[in-house]
Structures are given as structure tokens and as C-alpha cells.
Amino acid sequence: MWRTRAAAACVICRSLANSSCGIKRKSPLQNLHLVSRSVHHPYYPSARFQRPPLRISIQQFSSLNRLPLHKTKLLNVKHGYQSHRNFWLARLASRLLRVRYLILGSAVGGGYTAKKTYEQWKDMIPDLEDYKWIVPDFIWELDELVDIEKLLKALPDADDLAKLMPDFEKIGESLASLKGFLSPGSPGETAFRATDQGYDNDKQFKKGLLGELILLQQQIQQHEEEARRAAGFSSQQKRKVSDKEKIDQLQEELLRTQLKYQRMLERLEKENKELRKLVLQRDDKGIHQRKLKKSLIDMYSEVLDILSDYDASYNTQDHLPRVVVVGDQSAGKTSVLEMIAQARIFPRGSGEMMTRSPVKVTLSEGPHHVALFKDSSREFDLTKEEDLAALRNEIEIRMRNSVKEGCTVSTETISLSVKGPGLQRMVLVDLPGVISTVTSGMAPDTKETIFSISKAYMQNPNAIILCIQDGSVDAERSIVTDLVSQMDPQGKRTIFVLTKVDLAEKNVASPNRIQQIIEGKLFPMKALGYFAVVTGKGNSSESIESIKEYEEEFFQNSKLLKTSMLKAHQVTTKNLSLAVSDCFWKMVRESVEQQADAFKATRFNLETEWKNNYPRLRELDRNELFEKAKNEILDEVISLTQVTPKHWEEMLEKTLWERVSTHVIENIYLPAAQTANSGTFNTTVDIKLKQWTDKQLPNKAVEVAWETLQEEFSRFMTEKKGKEHDDIFDKLKQAVKEETIKRHKWNERAEDSLRVIQHNALEDRSISDKQQWDAAIHFMEETLQSRLKDTESVIEDMVGPDWKKRWLHWVGRTKEQNIRNETKNELEKLIKCNEDHPAYLANDEVTTVRKNLEARGVAVDPCLIKDTWHQIYRRYFLKSALSHCNLCRRGFYYYQRHFVDSELECNDIVLFWRIQRMLAITANTLRQQLTNTEVRRLEKNVKEVLEDFAEDNEKKVMLLTGKRVQLAEDLKKVREIQEKLEAFIEALHQEK
């Protein structure tokens, strides 16, 4: 029975082979008869053909992965041509039904065998479902954004496409030779062997066309054998060429095929970029109609910005992924970032340190190629050279401003967002380049500071380390590789990038050295992936497009790629960008939920601590506390307007008299009182009052008013409000008060108007009633008594205690006090002898006093005599003036008659009345200026100070301190981070 089935299957196969002759093939993929022979004829030569196993462990990123294949047409089988079956014997046989069953069984058996063989072939093909992430998202979305049907119609038909296909006969011969050349034990076996070390770690990052080329080799070999068998060629007719020529021919053919499909992929990407740009522009136009949804990468970047503010010391709480770019100084870090961002955005310098602080760059897709800072609304158009220059200048200014005095680098992070069509979404942090020596002009601790910054960012277990190494210098000079190997010994999150490969190829004597670097055999560090890039020719004015063209041209012609020292997926910044972006998002998906749970636990702990320590207080953070304090301060400023006019005037009049009383007594009243008659007295008084008013009095009055306003303002600011008083605002109120007083200036025109008013007040001598006369006498008596008391105190200090205090308190006099006491007694005798003695002693009087004292054995200096006389005569004069005041109480009648026919003269009372009236008028004028102008200006200054403080975070941190404030701040930040992380995780799940 089985022999009959095999015979029937063989007849079917031969019929298929015969019927296929002369049929024009539209596709080289028709291999049904080849499969049949391999199943039913193991002795047949074609059965030796086996699909070569794949050498790579992952699916490579290629444009061929999504190319549509044309449907192949099955061959028409002629079932009627079966003469050798001898069915006429079966018709004569009596068991026709049994023969039918045999034929049916043979067909079923052959079909089962073919299906089983198909399943075996299917199992040989690797499962590519786990490697869909290699293909960018826009490839899967092409059916939505690109009209595939229209594109298929535009493609050439099968006949024209067959003409464009390469010469499969020549390729087949070359592949057959290559197969023999690469057989086990052959010398060329190691030419295309991938490096085993590190491939298990980095297989998710290696992209390119290598997998596509291997599949293409297998397909071409199958098609060539089919064509050769159909045409009747035998294996003995192959030309014998050398192994080197066969390899060269094969490599040239494969490179041409690679370039052809690479161009097709680039055209599709360009069309996709334009379509996405149109879609995004349409979204921009509809912003006013609907709320624009934030992109996923923007949401993630906001979380990182909040974390950078909340956790400035970068402690273990912040384990969210970001791409940390590290490298030696001038290794090309900035150039690699610019190629990924597709714009020359960073400042440049020839050999000097340009990156002075960490720069966080958030890349995202958008309709326009623009950049903007986190704390600014200005957009820089990256397609315009003037905007690029302005952006580079702004970054340099921000870097220099962040560096403190005496330092070279800063830990403050500059946050920058770059949007543009086709940009890979990720967050990168560019760090200052690692240096080996501190040069002149740098701070002594620059090297250690850069190391600490780099370690702080790389210690994050979820941070992806992008290690940049200069390929044009000796590998032994590298510093950063040792640092990276310390932070990531297993290389589970490190991607190694070799820059300036064009210079390395020219300068390095042995190309194998570059291969050793890319294979991870030269450095003592491990990495997930190794890449080689070219980022320019060293000219800072080159455009990104010209650099990309130069990079592609270099690798197309490079011996490193032709000799398989470098793999296609390991070259160009484009493949690097794709690999880094995929690794970044893979790390984000694996770790973000764990970080969200950690912040959730932190929030619970902080809330519990607040409830235990401050159960009756709201959780007000620093900004909310500042707003509360701001309202209180403004309320207190408004309270100044509620002060009564009487209170203002009393304070102003009292303070002004305290300030000018010494000048009035010493420089006006006492000199005028020494005159001989009333006419001279009045003349002296008028002259001195005029001089005082013109030069000093208005300025003194304004100073008094401003000091009075300050005192009242301070009283309201520092006055405690009982139980409602919150001492957490005391430092802030004090700072606001001091800054406001420093800024406030009295109106300059106030002095001019005040001078006129005071001059007019002092010129008036007409006392209208007895009440004013008595008030002037009372004012004069208070002033003179106060001065007399001060004078008595001075004399007591000069001569020492009297006999009562000496006996009661057991104190004695010093030698100088005894001399002054003897001098005082002698001078008092002189005044008693002449009550009308002038204010100054004559020289002969000084000599007389000195001789009298010397006669009693007291040696005294003439200067001491004059000094003592000044205080003795002052006391005598004040006592006489007080007695005269008492006599003038009844002098108002004589004043009205201008002291005619009267020996009593009270001109000094009139002087004090003029002074008293000037003080009252000046106080009233200053009060009006205060309430109408200065209080409002003060309130305006307070608001300006509060606004400035509100924008100065450092000032708020310094003025609003304490455990309560810090705990509320931590609660706010942790809640905000947790909420944004949850929103990001939800959006991340929706994107999946």
C-alpha cells in the first residue's frame, strides 16, 4: 500500500515537472516542485538543499521587513497526462472500488507528508514576535498615514520588476562559492562571524540590514537553483574562480541591493515625516478649539523637572530613567547630541570646556523644528541660523550664570526641549566632559566636581549610560571608560559610541584595533551595544544635513564595513538614535511603576508625620505661606491709613522739637538773650531764624516725618496679634520692612513747599489771646526746665557727689573732681558779685580765678576754668530765664501795648510762641503729606518688594524656614510627582 502511494506521488510530481516546462515565471518564489522532490525523493540532488541557519540572535531593523510580496501564481497541473499508470487494467479488474481507495490514500498520505515537512520548515524560522520593537512605530502606522493601494499602483508590474532584479545566475554562483568558502574549517569562516562577547546583552539594540542581507542571500540561492534546473544547467558548468574574487563579487552585489532598499526606506520615511508634519500642523491650528493633549515624552520630562527641583542632591529616591551622556573632554559628546537632535544647538569652543553644567534635553516629535527652555516661553526656530546663534548664546549665558564665583562647573541643571519632525522621543542629560588635568583658569576642585556630578547621575540604577569615546586618540588615554565600568560593571545599561571613526581609519595603523573596540575586547568595560559614528569634519559651520551625507558616504566606501569589521547595524547616528530611544522606553516601561509605588509610600509617611505633629493646621507649602503672609503685610500697611490725624501731629511735633530744640536754645535763644535791649534781641532772632529756615529746618522736618512713618510701620509689622500670631512670618516681615524702607524716598518737592510754610509761620509775631500767651510760657518753662536738669547733671558729673551722697552712699570725689569743685565755688562767687555778668570770662578774670585757687594750693589750667564757667553760667542763666517766665505771666497786657511805659519785656516769650506755632504748622503739613502721598507710596513699595520676593525662590527659602514648612513642601512635591507619574503610566498603557 505504501509503495503504491509513493508511486502515485511520484507520478504527480513528474506531471507537475512536465507541465511546468515552457511556462513563463513571474516570480522566482515558485518552488512547489522543489519542495515535492525534497519530500518524496531523498536521493534526489535537490534534497541536499537546506535552509542555512541564521547566525544572528535578533531580527535586524531593515526596510525589507515590511516590503509587500507579489502573489505567485500556481502552476497549472495537467492531470490527464498519466499514460504509464495503466488505468485500463484497473477498469478490467473486479475490485475497482479498492483501487479508488488506494489512489485516495496515496493522495492523502502525500498531502500529510508535505504538510509535516512544511511544519518542520516553519519551525526552523525564528519567532519574530518578540522583536517587533526594533521596527519604529511609524512603520506600523504606514497603512494609516500612507495610501498603500496608491503606492502599489505606482510600483512597476512584475515584468518590469523582473528586469530590474539582479543577475541571479551570477549571484547564485557567487553564493555557492561563498557557501563553500564559509564551510566549517575553511579559512574564510571567521570573516562574517559575529562577536560572541556581549551579544546576549545587546541584541535588542543592534539594528540594520545584516539580517535582511542573510535572508536575501538564502532567497537568491533558492531562486538561482530553480532557474538553473529549469534551464537545464548542471552543477558541473560552474566557472572556477578564486575565493577572493567570489567574495568581492558577492559583497558588491549585496551592497548594491542594500543601498537600493535603503533608499526606498528613506523615501518612505521622508513621506511619512511630511504627512505627520501636516497632521501636527492641523492639530496646532485647532488648539483654540480643543485642549491640546500633552505628548508622552513631555509628561515624563515634567516629572523629571519636578524631581530636579525637589531632589537637588540627587539622592536614591530619584531612580527614573534618563540617558546620561558622559565622555572625555572634546570626545564629541555635544556633536553626537546635535546629530540626534538634528540641530547645532550647543555652544562650541576649540579645546576649551564649553559644557559647564548638566543640560537636560527632551526630544519629541512636532510639526516644527523648535527649541524652548523650561522657564521661558520663547521658541527658537532651529531652521534659522540667527535663532540657532541666539539659542547657543542663551545656553552659554545660562551656564555661566549657574556657575558660582570661584568655581568652574555647576550642578544646576538647564532644562531644554527640542521638538521636530522625525525626532526620536527620549530624555538626555549632557554632562561636563571628564578631564585628567586641571589647567590654568580652572578652580582647583574642578576635576573632582565633574567626577562627582557624573557619578551622581550614573548611580541611578535605571539610567542609561551613553559612553562617548574619541576614536582618533589612543584608547589608553581614555578616562571615562574606567568611570563607566565602575558604575555599571556588567554593562547592562551602557551603550558605547566610538566617534571620529573617519579619522581613526586614517590614523590607526591596524584596523583590527577599531574592530576590537567595537567588539568590546579592548576596553575593560562591558556594554549592551557598540556603535561607530562620524559627526563631521571638524568644521563648526557644517550643517546637520551635510554631516549626515558625509557620514553615509564614508561608511558606504569604508573598508571597515566592506571587510565586515563593522556591521551595518553598528554604524551611523541614525541607528544609534533608534537603539538609544528603544532602550530608553524599555527601561521606562520596566521601572516607572516601581518608582510610582515608592513615591506613594513616601507620601503616606509624610502625611502621617504631618497629622502627628500639626493636627490642627492646614498643609500650606512655602508658596501658600508666602501668600498668606503677603495678605497680612498688606493689611498692616493699610492700617497706617487708619491712624488719626491728631496722633500723627502729636508724634511729629514732639519728635521735631526733640530734634531741633538744641539748635534753638544754643544757637538762637542764648545768643539773642545776651543782647543789651529788645530791639537787638528781635533782630538777632529774625536773622538766625531766617538762616535756619533756609538751610536746615525743612530737611530736618522731612527726616522727622520719614522716621515717624518708619516707626509706625514697624510697630504695625512687629505687633503681635495674640493667639492668631504666627511667628513663622516674623523673618519675612522684618525683611519686607527693611527692604521697603531702603527703597522708599520722600518726595523731593516736599522740602520746597515746607520751607515757604515754615518761613511764614516764623515771621508771625501776633499772639491773639491770653490762652496762646500762657501756652507759650508753659512751653518755654518746660524747655528751660529740661535744659536746667541736663545742666545740673553735667555739673554733678564734673564736681562729683555732694556731701549727702558721700555720706549716704559712701562715695568720694576724684582729684580732678576736687579741682573742678574748687573752681566752681570760685566762679559762683564771681557771679554773685556781678549778676549781670556776660556769658564769657575775660582773660584777667581767668587769671584772677587761677591765682585765687593757687593761693589755696589748687593748681588749675585756664581751659578747665573756662569749661567749668560755661556750665556754671548756663545754670545761672536758665534759672534767671525761668524767673523771668514767671514774671511774664501777667505780661500779656503789656504785650498788647507793645510794652510801652513798662519795664517788663517778654520778647523771649514771643520767640517761643513763634517756635511753638511753627512746630504745629509743620506737623500739620507733614501729616497731610504722610496720609495723602507717602503712605500710598509706601504701600506701593511694599507690593513691589513682595512681588520681587515671590519671584526669588532662594529668598523665600531663606525667610520661610522650619520643619513645618519643609514637611509641607515635601508633601506637595511628592503628591505632584505621584499624580504626574500616574497620569504618565496611564498614557503609557494606552499607547501600548
Side-chain angles (χ1 to χ4, degrees):
M1 177 176 176
W2 290 106
R3 189 175 301 137
T4 306
R5 291 179 183 174
C10 294
V11 171
I12 294 174
C13 294
R14 284 195 295 272
S15 66
L16 289 173
N18 294 333
S19 61
S20 63
C21 297
I23 299 176
K24 184 178 181 180
R25 302 170 184 267
K26 293 188 177 180
S27 173
L29 301 178
Q30 299 171 352
N31 54 3
L32 180 61
H33 63 289
L34 181 62
V35 176
S36 179
R37 285 197 298 272
S38 66
V39 173
H40 301 293
H41 303 279
Y43 60 88
Y44 195 77
S46 63
R48 295 189 186 96
F49 172 77
Q50 293 182 358
R51 179 171 181 163
L54 295 178
R55 286 186 179 272
I56 59 174
S57 58
I58 63 172
Q59 178 185 359
Q60 305 298 330
F61 174 74
S62 172
S63 59
L64 287 177
N65 294 340
R66 290 296 170 185
L67 286 178
L69 297 176
H70 289 290
K71 297 180 180 179
T72 58
K73 297 184 178 180
L74 297 176
L75 299 176
N76 297 324
V77 181
K78 298 180 180 179
H79 301 283
Y81 183 66
Q82 300 174 354
S83 59
H84 62 284
R85 299 286 290 176
N86 297 324
F87 284 104
W88 59 275
L89 294 175
R91 287 194 297 270
L92 296 178
S94 59
R95 296 181 179 181
L96 181 62
L97 183 60
R98 183 178 179 181
V99 173
R100 184 183 306 169
Y101 286 150
L102 288 174
I103 296 173
L104 181 61
S106 299
V108 172
Y112 174 76
T113 305
K115 180 178 180 182
K116 184 175 180 181
T117 304
Y118 166 74
E119 294 294 336
Q120 293 176 354
W121 279 56
K122 184 177 179 182
D123 293 338
M124 293 171 61
I125 301 175
D127 187 7
L128 305 179
E129 292 295 329
D130 296 335
Y131 304 98
K132 287 185 178 181
W133 59 269
I134 296 179
V135 182
D137 296 341
F138 70 86
I139 295 296
W140 302 113
E141 300 173 358
L142 282 177
D143 55 344
E144 301 177 1
L145 303 176
V146 180
D147 192 349
I148 302 299
E149 296 296 333
K150 185 176 180 180
L151 185 62
L152 290 175
K153 292 179 181 179
L155 293 174
D157 56 13
D159 295 336
D160 296 335
L161 188 60
K163 296 178 182 179
L164 300 176
M165 295 296 289
D167 190 350
F168 292 114
E169 295 181 6
K170 296 181 180 180
I171 296 176
E173 293 174 2
S174 301
L175 288 171
S177 301
L178 180 63
K179 180 179 179 182
F181 178 72
L182 297 178
S183 61
S186 63
E189 180 182 4
T190 59
F192 290 96
R193 181 171 298 175
T195 304
D196 294 335
Q197 180 179 358
Y199 261 63
D200 294 336
N201 292 336
D202 66 342
K203 61 185 180 179
Q204 65 266 37
F205 305 108
K206 297 185 176 180
K207 308 180 184 298
L209 297 176
L210 186 58
E212 168 196 334
L213 295 179
I214 294 176
L215 293 176
L216 185 61
Q217 290 175 5
Q218 298 167 1
Q219 293 178 3
I220 292 173
Q221 185 177 2
Q222 295 176 11
H223 301 162
E224 185 274 341
E225 288 190 9
E226 288 181 5
R228 189 160 15 89
R229 290 192 186 94
F233 292 104
S234 63
S235 61
Q236 291 80 10
Q237 296 176 348
K238 296 179 180 178
R239 292 180 299 173
K240 296 181 179 180
V241 294
S242 65
D243 292 341
K244 188 175 186 307
E245 293 177 353
K246 292 177 182 179
I247 293 175
D248 294 340
Q249 184 180 5
L250 177 63
Q251 287 178 346
E252 292 177 0
E253 198 70 33
L254 294 180
L255 285 175
R256 284 197 297 269
T257 307
Q258 173 187 353
L259 292 175
K260 181 181 67 176
Y261 289 108
Q262 187 69 27
R263 294 191 193 99
M264 182 181 297
L265 178 63
E266 289 176 356
R267 286 199 303 271
L268 291 174
E269 288 179 352
K270 186 176 181 180
E271 293 177 1
N272 174 64
K273 185 184 295 185
E274 295 295 329
L275 290 172
R276 290 183 69 85
K277 183 176 180 180
L278 293 175
V279 172
L280 293 171
Q281 285 177 343
R282 191 179 302 115
D283 288 343
D284 282 352
K285 294 178 181 178
I287 287 177
H288 62 281
Q289 299 175 357
R290 61 183 177 85
K291 184 178 181 181
L292 187 63
K293 185 179 180 181
K294 288 184 179 179
S295 65
L296 199 62
I297 191 65
D298 289 336
M299 297 171 66
Y300 186 76
S301 180
E302 285 184 359
V303 176
L304 295 182
D305 287 335
I306 299 172
L307 273 173
S308 64
D309 296 336
Y310 166 67
D311 190 12
S313 60
Y314 205 89
N315 61 30
T316 55
Q317 291 183 349
D318 182 7
H319 288 168
L320 289 176
R322 69 264 280 160
V323 181
V324 179
V325 186
V326 296
D328 298 329
Q329 185 178 348
S330 302
K333 297 187 296 79
T334 300
S335 300
V336 171
L337 286 179
E338 288 180 337
M339 291 295 291
I340 295 176
Q342 300 181 15
R344 309 298 293 267
I345 58 177
F346 291 104
R348 293 183 170 272
S350 56
E352 63 175 322
M353 179 182 294
M354 297 306 298
T355 305
R356 297 179 177 270
S357 65
V359 181
K360 183 175 74 70
V361 182
T362 303
L363 300 179
S364 60
E365 195 172 19
H368 306 290
H369 204 186
V370 297
L372 65 158
F373 293 97
K374 177 188 71 172
D375 55 354
S376 175
S377 60
R378 178 186 176 183
E379 284 190 351
F380 296 88
D381 190 348
L382 301 183
T383 60
K384 298 179 180 179
E385 186 57 36
E386 56 270 18
D387 278 22
L388 280 171
L391 177 60
R392 290 192 291 266
N393 184 55
E394 179 67 19
I395 292 176
E396 185 173 2
I397 291 174
R398 287 174 179 256
M399 284 185 181
R400 295 189 181 277
N401 291 338
S402 66
V403 177
K404 297 179 180 179
E405 186 177 356
C407 300
T408 305
V409 293
S410 169
T411 58
E412 182 178 343
T413 303
I414 299 174
S415 182
L416 179 69
S417 295
V418 178
K419 300 178 184 291
L423 293 183
Q424 298 297 321
R425 303 177 303 169
M426 67 183 94
V427 177
L428 304 104
V429 181
D430 184 21
L431 301 179
V434 179
I435 60 175
S436 59
T437 305
V438 177
T439 60
S440 61
M442 292 185 179
D445 62 341
T446 301
K447 179 179 177 180
E448 290 75 14
T449 304
I450 294 176
F451 267 84
S452 63
I453 294 174
S454 302
K455 288 182 179 180
Y457 276 91
M458 289 190 290
Q459 281 174 353
N460 180 0
N462 297 322
I464 301 166
I465 303 173
L466 194 62
C467 180
I468 310 296
Q469 171 63 31
D470 189 351
S472 64
V473 300
D474 295 335
E476 291 77 10
R477 295 168 57 186
S478 175
I479 307 173
V480 71
T481 51
D482 294 336
L483 181 61
V484 173
S485 61
Q486 293 176 11
M487 296 295 103
D488 185 23
Q490 304 300 323
K492 295 182 179 180
R493 51 189 179 90
T494 300
I495 299 177
F496 181 84
V497 182
L498 186 67
T499 61
K500 306 177 184 179
V501 183
D502 53 342
L503 300 178
E505 187 180 26
K506 295 178 182 179
N507 301 333
V508 177
S510 175
N512 292 331
R513 191 173 179 83
I514 299 178
Q515 184 180 9
Q516 290 178 350
I517 295 176
I518 294 300
E519 292 177 353
K521 297 179 179 179
L522 189 62
F523 290 109
M525 59 170 286
K526 299 179 181 179
L528 285 172
Y530 297 84
F531 290 86
V533 298
V534 176
T535 57
K537 302 178 182 179
N539 186 2
S540 59
S541 61
E542 288 180 297
S543 65
I544 295 296
E545 294 298 327
S546 63
I547 296 176
K548 290 171 64 177
E549 293 176 0
Y550 172 71
E551 184 183 38
E552 293 176 1
E553 181 181 356
F554 167 77
F555 283 117
Q556 289 174 8
N557 302 323
S558 175
K559 294 181 181 179
L560 298 173
L561 195 61
K562 289 182 178 180
T563 57
S564 299
M565 290 186 181
L566 297 178
K567 308 301 184 295
H569 65 277
Q570 291 181 308
V571 298
T572 72
T573 51
K574 182 177 181 181
N575 289 337
L576 170 65
S577 177
L578 290 170
V580 174
S581 177
D582 291 332
C583 180
F584 169 75
W585 284 107
K586 182 176 182 294
M587 190 72 76
V588 168
R589 290 185 175 93
E590 291 176 353
S591 60
V592 67
E593 293 188 0
Q594 181 181 0
Q595 293 300 305
D597 293 339
F599 280 105
K600 186 176 181 180
T602 304
R603 174 181 174 176
F604 175 79
N605 295 336
L606 292 175
E607 288 177 344
T608 304
E609 184 178 359
W610 181 275
K611 291 178 182 178
N612 293 333
N613 293 319
Y614 311 102
R616 297 183 180 181
L617 295 177
R618 289 193 300 128
E619 300 167 3
L620 299 179
D621 59 21
R622 185 171 280 109
N623 291 331
E624 292 171 337
L625 286 172
F626 182 83
E627 289 298 321
K628 183 179 178 181
K630 177 181 177 181
N631 294 331
E632 288 188 8
I633 293 172
L634 293 177
D635 291 341
E636 290 163 356
V637 174
I638 293 176
S639 299
L640 286 174
T641 60
Q642 307 301 321
V643 178
T644 61
K646 182 180 179 181
H647 180 72
W648 278 121
E649 292 181 10
E650 288 178 353
M651 290 184 61
L652 290 169
E653 187 174 351
K654 178 181 178 181
T655 308
L656 182 59
W657 176 240
E658 290 176 354
R659 186 67 57 85
V660 301
S661 60
T662 301
H663 181 83
V664 171
I665 299 297
E666 302 295 334
N667 298 328
I668 298 176
Y669 175 61
L670 289 178
Q674 304 303 316
T675 59
N677 51 60
S678 61
T680 307
F681 178 90
N682 292 331
T683 302
T684 304
V685 167
D686 292 342
I687 293 174
K688 290 186 177 295
L689 288 177
K690 180 67 168 55
Q691 294 175 350
W692 183 44
T693 306
D694 292 340
K695 295 180 180 180
Q696 300 178 10
L697 182 58
N699 181 263
K700 290 289 184 181
V702 170
E703 288 181 0
V704 167
W706 174 221
E707 291 176 2
T708 304
L709 179 61
Q710 291 183 39
E711 291 176 3
E712 287 297 294
F713 178 53
S714 300
R715 182 173 65 85
F716 282 111
M717 292 284 287
T718 58
E719 185 179 7
K720 294 186 178 181
K721 307 298 187 298
K723 295 182 179 180
E724 297 180 359
H725 178 74
D726 196 344
D727 57 0
I728 203 170
F729 300 143
D730 291 346
K731 291 178 65 177
L732 176 61
K733 291 181 177 180
Q734 182 68 21
V736 171
K737 183 193 73 173
E738 293 176 356
E739 184 65 23
T740 302
I741 291 173
K742 186 186 301 182
R743 295 186 184 185
H744 184 81
K745 292 183 179 179
W746 204 274
N747 189 358
E748 296 179 356
R749 298 179 181 179
E751 289 189 14
D752 296 334
S753 59
L754 191 60
R755 182 178 290 107
V756 175
I757 294 173
Q758 290 173 339
H759 183 71
N760 294 333
L762 290 173
E763 284 186 346
D764 188 7
R765 302 178 186 177
S766 57
I767 303 177
S768 58
D769 52 25
K770 182 69 166 57
Q771 185 178 359
Q772 293 182 9
W773 181 269
D774 294 339
I777 292 175
H778 179 70
F779 174 62
M780 181 177 176
E781 286 180 341
E782 286 185 348
T783 303
L784 295 179
Q785 287 175 356
S786 174
R787 293 294 165 177
L788 179 60
K789 183 177 180 181
D790 295 339
T791 304
E792 293 283 358
S793 177
V794 172
I795 293 174
E796 183 177 356
D797 293 337
M798 291 173 61
V799 301
D802 56 7
W803 65 272
K804 291 183 179 179
K805 291 184 178 180
R806 291 199 303 271
W807 281 98
L808 293 176
H809 301 289
W810 290 87
V811 294
R813 292 172 176 169
T814 64
K815 182 178 180 180
E816 182 180 358
Q817 288 177 341
N818 285 325
I819 295 173
R820 285 189 177 272
N821 184 56
E822 294 295 334
T823 305
K824 177 184 73 83
N825 295 333
E826 191 68 24
L827 293 175
E828 287 179 348
K829 294 177 182 179
L830 183 62
I831 292 177
K832 288 180 179 180
C833 294
N834 185 10
E835 293 183 356
D836 296 330
H837 197 286
Y840 301 98
L841 277 176
N843 291 333
D844 56 346
E845 292 177 329
V846 172
T847 303
T848 302
V849 172
R850 181 172 61 82
K851 288 182 178 181
N852 293 337
L853 292 174
E854 288 177 353
R856 293 200 299 268
V858 179
V860 63
D861 186 73
C863 294
L864 185 144
I865 297 173
K866 293 180 180 180
D867 186 34
T868 308
W869 166 258
H870 176 73
Q871 298 299 329
I872 298 300
Y873 181 82
R874 183 186 181 87
R875 182 178 62 177
Y876 169 74
F877 174 80
L878 292 175
K879 289 182 177 180
S880 300
L882 284 172
S883 301
H884 183 68
C885 281
N886 191 28
L887 294 175
C888 289
R889 289 185 182 276
R890 53 185 179 82
F892 180 70
Y893 171 76
Y894 299 102
Y895 165 76
Q896 289 179 328
R897 299 181 58 186
H898 304 288
F899 301 102
V900 177
D901 299 332
S902 174
E903 296 180 357
L904 183 63
E905 294 182 358
C906 298
N907 293 317
D908 49 356
I909 303 298
V910 176
L911 170 62
F912 277 91
W913 178 84
R914 294 166 68 182
I915 297 295
Q916 187 182 32
R917 185 168 181 274
M918 181 274 298
L919 293 174
I921 294 175
T922 301
N924 181 267
T925 304
L926 292 174
R927 189 267 305 168
Q928 293 181 15
Q929 292 181 2
L930 280 171
T931 56
N932 296 337
T933 306
E934 299 305 327
V935 170
R936 299 185 185 277
R937 292 179 64 237
L938 182 69
E939 181 181 359
K940 181 180 178 182
N941 289 336
V942 170
K943 291 180 179 179
E944 292 177 355
V945 171
L946 289 172
E947 290 175 0
D948 293 343
F949 282 6
E951 296 176 358
D952 191 346
N953 290 326
E954 294 182 359
K955 182 75 73 174
K956 288 192 289 186
V957 170
M958 182 177 64
L959 298 177
L960 293 174
T961 58
K963 180 181 178 181
R964 168 184 158 194
V965 181
Q966 192 59 46
L967 186 58
E969 279 289 303
D970 292 344
L971 262 174
K972 175 191 174 183
K973 293 291 184 182
V974 169
R975 282 174 180 158
E976 187 177 8
I977 292 169
Q978 183 194 356
E979 292 171 359
K980 288 188 178 293
L981 274 177
E982 291 176 351
F984 170 75
I985 292 172
E986 183 180 356
L988 189 65
H989 290 329
Q990 292 177 357
E991 189 181 66
K992 290 182 181 179

